[in-house]
Amino acid sequence: MVKAFNRLPISVIPTHYTITLKPDLVGHTFTGQAVVKVDVKEAVKTIVCNVNELEIQSATVVSGTTTMSPTIALNKEEETVTLSCDQELAVGSATVTYNFTGILNDKLRGFYRTKYTVDGEDRYAAVTQFEATDARQAFPCWDEPAVKATFDMIIVGPKDRVVLSNMPEIENTEDPEDSTCKVVKFATTPIMSTYLVAIVVGEFDYIEDKSEEGIAVRVYSPLGKKEQGRFALECAVKSLTFYSKFFNVPYPLAKYDMIAIPDFSSGAMENWGLVLYRETCILVDPLNSSQSSKQWVAIVVCHETAHQWFGNFVTMEWWTHLWLNEGFASFMENLTTDVLYPEYRIWDQFVPGTLIEALKLDALNSSHAIEVDVGHPSEVDEIFDNISYNKGASVIRMLYDWIGDKSFKTGMHSYLIKYSYKNTETPQLWAELESASGLPVTSVMKSWTEQMGFPCINVTSQQEGADRVLTLTQSKFVGDGKANGGSSGSRWQVPVSISSPGKEVTKVMMDREAEQTTVRLANVAASDWVKLNPSVVGFYRVHYSQTELGLLCEAVKSKALPPVDRLNILDDLFSLIAAGKAKTADGLRLLQSYKDEDSYIVWNNISQVIGNLSIVIADQDFYSDWERLILELFSGIKKSVTWDPVEGEGHLDTLLRSLVITRLGKAGDQEIRQEAKRRFDLHASGGAQVSPDIRTAVYSVVASMGQEEDYNTMLRLHEEADLHEEKVRIGRTGLAAFSNKTILAKALEFSLSSNVRAQDSVHMIGSVAGRRQGRDLSWQFFKDNFVLLSERYQSGFLLSRLVKSCSAGFLCEEKAREVEQFFTEHPLSGSERNVAQAVETIRLNTAWLTRDQADIANFFKQN
């Protein structure tokens, strides 16, 4: 149930904070003082701000020449503290002082502790994670994004520790109360939101460089690992300069620090001037990091750097507009990575990795609009999802393609300058882009951000002499195939592109009010294929007639279509199959058109299709026939993929190798299995090391054979691994990927042990749940450990994701009801939407199986 919620009163608002914090790294507590200059807008006796998990020892209010000692009332439910004064505060400036204490918690939020080891000794650092609403766990504040102020941070910590905050250090003196500590003062911040404040006290090495504009850039890493920050440093320096030029707005701070944190809930957090990262998102070990990990570091660094403008310089007014931060940063991360590292071919990878993931979620009735009304803070975590990030990025890419690079840059510059250091809502962005382009941006984009879902465009055609005449109609694509209730009326303004052999791309705007759109393609013969959505820039599905689909199949086989369009045809058809608009056998026949495929991104999508169908038929007698089909499908690419790198191979060739080995090994290819085992044994015994680019493949193939001695070897390798990336790799694709249920049960127990960091446990349990043999085990494990898990993660998006991954893989109505019932009896604040999505997914997959079970069985009998 949604909690009642009111935003803070605006009768008293802060203008400047002076925050003093002293963490105790041994006792795991901290003391603090917040001196807040406020602007009293109307005569009131009370001051209300946010506090959570703090004890307020005392408070004073100075108004004019009067000093008051107000009564202090904490409201745990609303996470507020109310100071009540004996007399009214005069309109104008006043100063409020809070003295308080808190716990350096182990929940990965607020002001928390993170464990690391030096020479065998466990030590702790104090770090922060405030987004969305956890600055209030570190100091009393007006913890809403629109209530901006400036900050003077004063941090007291041991003399032998690194102390960092958003701004450069300006003073470092001995603590008069403790000669082992230092008092570090930082320069005043620009006006900014509370969720972007950051503090780190710990032991780190660093490397540094300067950007073209003279910005000091540093990467802080665990002791002895500073060289592992070299690639991220290069990315940061290059991306700072790129964004400064792209937006034509300089980076406004004097320094840009990035730091690797051992325990961190998300991939990274864009705190202004001090970005915190999970180690796997910033550290690259030349000997042990894979190319895919290195690519991920580039993407995450470019994402967080984009936030320095989008989110920090200009901030959303409220969490309803979170997508302004995350959708734009997700779009810009790709645009920037593509410019800095063109060899990654990132826009090709964007389609299966980002756009399709968003389409899958947005087809659910339990999805949400890009802009979703958010009230209580517990609701915020749920929208850090594939809609805010991936759909947001996808519709901005569609907009960018429609209005063009020049208009986009002009509009973005105007937006950033006009609203610098302020807060905005979505329409203010559309207005600037509309002004820059002269196109109806607002009316078009409102249809994409204010309603959930997306269109499916139905294509029929007829030949009129030398011309092909297309008739296009749109309807909302729904995962269950039903057009019911209010959703059937959903329509969009759709920028549609159409390609055909040797012709210029035709572009039309489908009007949401029009029943159909007719397009005449001159000199397109009846034997020519016609493809909607070339390069898959549009956020929609396409339903072709059998004739059109047949022509496109031939274009897939002959590779007349580019890779991204080849995968699009397969993905659109399988989404229509899942929705009951086509038969699974049609999809299986289409799959066979891809036997001679050579592109990584196409095989990546084929692999996703295989994964989705594998869930649906997991318990069927013909599953072995399915594995046989997979082996046949991959037989051609197997001949051209080698175990070891070939001189001059491209980045995507490297990624393809791991994918092919994994799929063949899991499907039972004995040759692949034997070679994977041989290489694993050598690697584990200290012989020839498995290349980091195929370690994931080798671990997962060996695990799929289900031998306990290999599990024990992986446990040892996990313990010995010094690189966090390697621990994660062994955990997710090794220990959690065994086919033996007894071993998987051990892996689940291990996931919650002290050997696995809290941030990684969730993903390891989710990996077990993703296996046929682990589906029931992981759900039972989740239920058995529900109290421990909910206490460990205290809602938050890590727990929300685990809810979904542990429950969405079932295939019967009985299980759907069981999941519903469990979360009715054990409600998890902030996970309601994920529960609904999991239950809906169970029902969709159950319906798919019921509908097509005989059709699939018959296909395998005939093939």
Side-chain angles (χ1 to χ4, degrees):
M1 197 177 91
V2 175
K3 297 179 182 176
F5 174 74
N6 291 304
R7 286 166 69 168
L8 293 171
I10 56 172
S11 49
V12 179
I13 56 171
T15 57
H16 179 75
Y17 295 84
T18 300
I19 304 294
T20 304
L21 293 170
K22 183 176 183 178
D24 178 347
L25 302 180
V26 177
H28 308 320
T29 59
F30 62 92
T31 57
Q33 181 184 70
V35 180
V36 191
K37 290 181 180 175
V38 297
D39 187 4
V40 182
K41 298 289 190 182
E42 56 185 88
V44 290
K45 286 187 174 182
T46 58
I47 299 171
V48 184
C49 75
N50 294 115
V51 157
N52 189 23
E53 305 290 341
L54 297 177
E55 287 190 16
I56 309 293
Q57 266 73 43
S58 63
T60 59
V61 179
V62 178
S63 175
T65 58
T66 306
T67 300
M68 292 172 262
S69 298
T71 59
I72 303 167
L74 291 169
N75 185 322
K76 190 171 178 61
E77 180 68 22
E78 294 185 4
E79 300 180 359
T80 59
V81 58
T82 301
L83 303 184
S84 300
C85 300
D86 291 337
Q87 59 191 78
E88 285 190 338
L89 303 176
V91 172
S93 62
T95 302
V96 188
T97 301
Y98 303 86
N99 294 296
F100 54 92
T101 57
I103 303 293
L104 279 179
N105 69 71
D106 58 357
K107 313 295 183 196
L108 309 181
R109 55 198 306 175
F111 198 17
Y112 71 93
R113 63 185 186 265
T114 176
K115 186 167 78 172
Y116 61 100
T117 306
V118 178
D119 297 330
E121 177 194 351
D122 286 344
R123 297 181 187 174
Y124 291 88
V127 300
T128 54
Q129 169 55 35
F130 289 163
E131 190 179 27
T133 57
D134 290 319
R136 64 191 68 175
Q137 291 196 31
F139 53 87
C141 58
W142 282 251
D143 203 9
E144 298 179 357
V147 189
K148 290 189 171 186
T150 53
F151 292 81
D152 282 334
M153 302 301 296
I154 303 167
I155 309 300
V156 184
K159 286 180 177 175
D160 61 352
R161 298 297 194 263
V162 171
V163 179
L164 300 171
S165 189
N166 305 76
M167 300 298 287
E169 179 185 306
I170 55 170
E171 188 180 291
N172 187 327
T173 58
E174 185 175 293
D175 181 1
E177 296 174 9
D178 183 350
S179 61
T180 66
C181 287
K182 58 187 176 184
V183 179
V184 183
K185 293 184 180 180
F186 296 90
T188 304
T189 68
I191 187 168
M192 60 188 272
S193 304
T194 49
Y195 78 88
L196 293 167
V197 174
I199 303 145
V200 174
V201 181
E203 293 176 276
F204 301 92
D205 285 339
Y206 70 87
I207 52 175
E208 62 184 333
D209 199 355
K210 269 198 162 60
S211 73
E212 197 178 290
E213 308 79 23
I215 307 298
V217 184
R218 286 182 177 180
V219 174
Y220 288 84
S221 53
L223 296 176
K225 294 185 179 180
K226 65 181 181 182
E227 285 306 313
Q228 291 181 16
R230 185 69 59 190
F231 179 64
L233 181 65
E234 173 194 296
C235 295
V237 168
K238 287 180 175 179
S239 60
L240 271 176
T241 298
F242 176 82
Y243 288 127
S244 296
K245 291 177 178 177
F246 187 90
F247 296 130
N248 194 20
V249 176
Y251 175 73
L253 307 186
K255 60 105 170 169
Y256 187 51
D257 290 341
M258 309 196 302
I259 185 165
I261 303 298
D263 299 287
F264 202 69
S265 61
S266 57
M269 175 61 211
E270 68 267 17
N271 316 296
W272 218 354
L274 177 56
V275 183
L276 273 62
Y277 290 80
R278 188 181 288 199
E279 288 184 9
T280 49
C281 296
I282 189 172
L283 301 182
V284 174
D285 176 355
L287 294 178
N288 289 293
S289 289
S290 65
Q291 286 301 307
S292 58
S293 295
K294 190 175 179 182
Q295 174 184 300
W296 180 239
V297 168
I299 287 170
V300 177
V301 170
C302 289
H303 180 101
E304 303 309 323
T305 309
H307 273 310
Q308 305 304 303
W309 284 263
F310 251 95
N312 302 6
F313 191 56
V314 178
T315 311
M316 78 252 143
E317 195 279 336
W318 185 246
W319 301 108
T320 295
H321 303 277
L322 171 74
W323 90 281
L324 279 179
N325 280 17
E326 299 304 346
F328 263 85
S330 297
F331 169 74
M332 292 304 302
E333 83 192 19
N334 287 281
L335 187 117
T336 311
T337 303
D338 187 53
V339 170
L340 302 185
Y341 303 100
E343 66 273 20
Y344 291 170
R345 308 227 336 242
I346 214 73
W347 283 123
D348 282 352
Q349 294 191 61
F350 177 89
V351 174
T354 300
L355 183 140
I356 286 172
E357 289 303 306
L359 288 171
K360 277 162 56 177
L361 179 55
D362 210 26
L364 300 180
N365 288 314
S366 48
S367 181
H368 62 85
I370 282 179
E371 293 181 68
V372 56
D373 284 334
V374 173
H376 195 275
S378 67
E379 298 169 40
V380 178
D381 282 333
E382 275 204 299
I383 60 167
F384 283 86
D385 65 1
N386 277 349
I387 300 299
S388 296
Y389 284 74
N390 295 3
K391 183 180 180 181
S394 299
V395 300
I396 292 158
R397 177 172 173 248
M398 184 166 64
L399 166 70
Y400 174 82
D401 182 71
W402 173 44
I403 70 173
D405 181 77
K406 185 179 178 185
S407 294
F408 187 82
K409 284 179 178 172
T410 302
M412 298 314 302
H413 171 77
S414 300
Y415 171 80
L416 288 166
I417 293 298
K418 188 171 184 176
Y419 299 108
S420 56
Y421 304 106
K422 297 186 179 77
N423 296 81
T424 59
E425 297 179 352
T426 305
Q428 291 161 306
L429 175 62
W430 297 154
E432 297 307 313
L433 291 169
E434 187 162 307
S435 175
S437 65
L439 293 167
V441 171
T442 302
S443 63
V444 170
M445 295 310 292
K446 277 175 70 147
S447 72
W448 294 96
T449 62
E450 293 182 3
Q451 62 181 346
M452 76 179 199
F454 58 89
C456 180
I457 296 175
N458 205 67
V459 186
T460 56
S461 69
Q462 62 186 61
Q463 200 67 25
E464 293 186 3
D467 301 345
R468 185 86 62 86
V469 179
L470 305 184
T471 302
L472 311 180
T473 57
Q474 63 164 299
S475 58
K476 183 181 180 188
F477 184 94
V478 186
D480 61 10
K482 296 172 186 170
N484 53 8
S487 65
S488 60
S490 302
R491 301 174 77 83
W492 289 261
Q493 296 286 115
V494 192
V496 174
S497 299
I498 306 166
S499 62
S500 52
K503 301 288 192 297
E504 287 283 312
V505 171
T506 301
K507 296 195 173 191
V508 295
M509 179 67 74
M510 284 186 75
D511 192 289
R512 66 191 302 182
E513 303 301 329
E515 284 301 312
Q516 62 183 45
T517 302
T518 304
V519 185
R520 180 176 290 272
L521 302 176
N523 300 312
V524 173
S527 58
D528 285 342
W529 54 263
V530 171
K531 166 78 171 61
L532 268 65
N533 205 9
S535 301
V536 199
V537 172
F539 194 76
Y540 54 84
R541 298 277 190 198
V542 183
H543 194 175
Y544 296 98
S545 68
Q546 283 298 117
T547 305
E548 298 289 356
L549 189 59
L551 292 169
L552 287 168
C553 279
E554 292 307 311
V556 166
K557 287 180 185 173
S558 66
K559 300 192 179 71
L561 290 166
V564 74
D565 290 307
R566 300 201 294 271
L567 79 83
N568 181 224
I569 291 161
L570 180 71
D571 193 71
D572 275 354
L573 179 59
F574 264 92
S575 68
L576 290 161
I577 289 166
K581 301 291 187 184
K583 285 291 183 186
T584 304
D586 294 338
L588 295 174
R589 277 186 282 274
L590 176 61
L591 260 181
Q592 294 173 316
S593 302
Y594 290 82
K595 278 183 177 172
D596 295 324
E597 185 53 65
D598 56 8
S599 163
Y600 164 72
I601 63 157
V602 181
W603 280 112
N604 188 23
N605 187 249
I606 291 169
S607 187
Q608 289 179 357
V609 165
I610 288 171
N612 294 339
L613 187 53
S614 294
I615 292 169
V616 174
I617 61 173
D619 304 322
Q620 301 306 304
D621 292 340
F622 50 70
Y623 195 87
S624 57
D625 295 313
W626 170 232
E627 290 187 315
R628 175 175 52 78
L629 184 146
I630 293 169
L631 292 177
E632 288 171 10
L633 181 61
F634 277 80
S635 60
I637 194 69
K638 177 187 174 183
K639 292 170 188 165
S640 59
V641 167
T642 58
W643 278 86
D644 297 306
V646 177
E647 192 174 343
E649 73 178 19
H651 177 72
L652 297 188
D653 297 325
T654 305
L655 303 187
L656 178 62
R657 175 178 296 111
S658 181
L659 186 151
V660 171
I661 292 169
T662 302
R663 273 292 166 205
L664 284 167
K666 283 185 172 182
D669 184 302
Q670 291 307 312
E671 189 183 350
I672 293 286
R673 286 185 162 192
Q674 287 165 16
E675 181 61 12
K677 182 71 166 83
R678 185 188 73 79
R679 289 178 180 243
F680 175 74
D681 288 343
L682 267 174
H683 176 85
S685 61
Q689 295 296 284
V690 172
S691 159
D693 290 314
I694 59 168
R695 270 185 217 170
T696 289
V698 167
Y699 293 156
S700 62
V701 172
V702 169
S704 71
M705 294 187 274
Q707 299 302 308
E708 186 155 13
E709 63 179 313
D710 293 326
Y711 177 81
N712 292 330
T713 302
M714 287 186 194
L715 273 182
R716 173 176 62 79
L717 292 173
H718 186 279
E719 186 180 344
E720 291 171 356
D722 184 46
L723 182 70
H724 191 66
E725 177 191 329
E726 181 69 1
K727 284 186 183 291
V728 169
R729 187 159 43 215
I730 295 168
R732 289 194 208 178
T733 63
L735 300 171
F738 275 76
S739 54
N740 180 308
K741 289 188 177 183
T742 305
I743 294 175
L744 285 178
K746 289 182 180 180
L748 286 168
E749 293 297 334
F750 180 74
S751 73
L752 291 183
S753 72
S754 59
N755 296 298
V756 179
R757 293 194 178 275
Q759 70 206 19
D760 301 320
S761 303
V762 165
H763 301 293
M764 197 169 161
I765 297 166
S767 294
V768 174
R771 291 201 60 74
R772 278 194 308 149
Q773 301 86 345
R775 183 187 63 196
D776 299 82
L777 282 173
S778 57
W779 171 237
Q780 189 60 48
F781 183 79
F782 177 86
K783 293 190 292 182
D784 292 344
N785 291 278
F786 178 78
V787 174
L788 185 155
L789 289 164
S790 51
E791 172 59 28
R792 180 190 272 206
Y793 299 107
Q794 292 192 342
S795 74
F797 61 83
L798 279 175
L799 191 57
S800 285
R801 288 174 187 177
L802 186 59
V803 164
K804 202 165 169 182
S805 61
C806 279
S807 58
F810 292 113
L811 285 158
C812 63
E813 177 58 28
E814 183 187 355
K815 280 295 185 185
R817 286 200 293 267
E818 180 187 321
V819 172
E820 276 182 324
Q821 183 67 24
F822 180 81
F823 288 109
T824 301
E825 294 170 3
H826 304 84
L828 268 179
S829 179
S831 293
E832 295 87 355
R833 196 185 301 275
N834 279 282
V835 172
Q837 289 168 357
V839 170
E840 187 178 353
T841 301
I842 295 170
R843 289 183 169 136
L844 288 174
N845 285 339
T846 303
W848 181 358
L849 179 63
T850 304
R851 194 170 55 238
D852 278 9
Q853 187 174 16
D855 179 59
I856 301 168
N858 195 43
F859 173 86
F860 284 124
K861 280 178 191 166
Q862 295 174 358
N863 292 273

